[in-house]
Amino acid sequence: MEKIVSPKNERIKSWSKLKTKKNRDKMNLYILENWHLIKEAINYKQNVKTILFTEKQYDLHFKEINNIEKYEIIIISDEVSLKLGSTTTPQGAFAIVQLPHIDNDFTKDTVNGKWLLLDNVQDPGNIGTMIRTADAAGMEGVVFGEGTSDIFNAKVLRSMQGSNFHVKIMKYDLNDWVDSCINFGIPVYGSELNPQAIDYNTVKPINDFSLIMGNEGNGMQQSLLEKTTDNLYIPIKGHAESLNVAIAAGILMFSLCK
């Protein structure tokens, strides 16, 4: 089994560049941290290329490691772990994974089901929470629109806790997606408090819909608001001015899902 102790090793230097979207796209790879997430990637048939452990992590998970399919496994030093990690105290388990192929063809089958659309949502914690909630609510998948943080950002990956392997993840122009829904008679719900918006409690659960959640500060883009079937609001009974976008998304998803 190979062992790498120097952060200056060429493979380590190359993999450490996967912390940026530019290099992830260039190399068609991303780096996954944490043994729990690595196991989820393996269980859901992701294209895992290499797995790296510190000696402590390898010893801790030895039995599990030997029960999975054979991958290239490398033992690394704590210094290398710090080089690859995205936190100040990385756990010491990493996987190099091929970026999944994303199909960009629109058909009725594509937009059928229950979909969450993210319009310029930027906070990794919010994105991860919404994807985990979409998973829990039984949604078909999540569509990342323009301006939304990259799904393979380390903070987003941590926050999703593996739910990205359980639901479909797409990258599309949301205007095109909404146009397709309209063409196929599938309702699209926006989320904004305005005179035309309706109380979410008045909408019955259905099998096929898309729900758009907008930017944390600016909300949804106007072009999308003008196309929606209805824009929904959540009545606030207390004195808070608004809800966190991830909390609002959770309330709406569980209410709309049949």
Side-chain angles (χ1 to χ4, degrees):
M1 188 181 302
E2 184 178 358
K3 185 173 184 179
I4 300 177
V5 298
S6 173
K8 295 182 180 180
N9 176 277
E10 289 302 318
R11 296 183 81 187
I12 300 303
K13 288 165 63 177
S14 176
W15 287 331
S16 70
K17 294 178 181 178
L18 296 174
K19 294 178 183 180
T20 68
K21 184 179 186 305
K22 176 183 176 181
N23 284 306
R24 288 193 292 270
D25 291 342
K26 181 180 179 181
M27 299 166 66
N28 198 34
L29 298 168
Y30 71 99
I31 189 164
L32 190 60
E33 301 181 48
N34 184 308
W35 176 233
H36 164 69
L37 299 185
I38 295 169
K39 285 193 298 181
E40 285 294 283
I42 292 169
N43 290 337
Y44 284 86
K45 309 302 181 185
Q46 301 301 299
N47 195 348
V48 175
K49 300 294 187 182
T50 303
I51 305 175
L52 306 98
F53 297 99
T54 59
E55 289 187 2
K56 180 180 178 180
Q57 283 290 305
Y58 183 81
D59 291 342
L60 185 63
H61 303 297
F62 177 78
K63 290 183 179 179
E64 290 181 288
I65 294 167
N66 280 272
N67 285 330
I68 64 174
E69 296 179 26
K70 297 300 180 182
Y71 295 90
E72 180 189 29
I73 295 178
I74 298 174
I75 301 300
I76 57 174
S77 65
D78 290 339
E79 290 77 16
V80 170
S81 178
L82 284 169
K83 178 77 172 181
L84 294 175
S86 60
T87 65
T88 54
T89 55
Q91 290 191 8
F94 306 90
I96 309 302
V97 188
Q98 184 171 319
L99 289 175
H101 171 73
I102 295 178
D103 186 0
N104 290 317
D105 293 330
F106 281 106
T107 67
K108 186 174 182 180
D109 288 339
T110 305
V111 296
N112 271 343
K114 309 171 184 69
W115 288 90
L116 175 65
L117 279 52
L118 305 182
D119 178 24
N120 196 31
V121 181
Q122 297 181 347
D123 181 81
N126 285 336
I127 293 170
T129 298
M130 284 191 278
I131 290 176
R132 290 167 66 187
T133 307
D135 181 12
M139 301 284 283
E140 184 78 16
V142 181
V143 184
F144 281 55
E146 184 178 356
T148 297
S149 291
D150 184 45
I151 183 176
F152 302 105
N153 173 291
K155 291 181 180 179
V156 175
L157 288 169
R158 283 201 306 275
S159 184
M160 290 186 295
Q161 283 297 298
S163 280
N164 51 304
F165 303 132
H166 310 159
V167 298
K168 295 178 182 177
I169 305 293
M170 306 285 188
K171 291 182 182 179
Y172 284 122
D173 182 302
L174 295 191
N175 282 285
D176 289 345
W177 182 279
V178 171
D179 288 342
S180 292
C181 288
I182 293 169
N183 289 338
F184 292 123
I186 296 172
V188 179
Y189 298 111
S191 49
E192 187 186 60
L193 180 58
N194 59 36
Q196 289 76 42
I198 63 173
D199 185 335
Y200 82 100
N201 288 298
T202 64
V203 181
K204 294 182 179 180
I206 51 176
N207 286 318
D208 301 292
F209 68 88
S210 285
L211 169 67
I212 309 172
M213 301 305 296
N215 176 267
E216 289 88 343
N218 300 318
M220 289 170 53
Q221 55 182 297
Q222 190 62 34
S223 63
L224 291 173
L225 284 169
E226 292 171 357
K227 293 179 179 181
T228 54
T229 306
D230 284 302
N231 294 319
L232 310 180
Y233 73 90
I234 301 169
I236 294 177
K237 298 179 181 180
H239 301 289
E241 290 185 2
S242 62
L243 291 172
N244 169 273
V245 65
I247 296 296
I251 292 169
L252 295 175
M253 282 189 282
F254 272 95
S255 177
L256 290 169
C257 284
K258 186 173 181 179

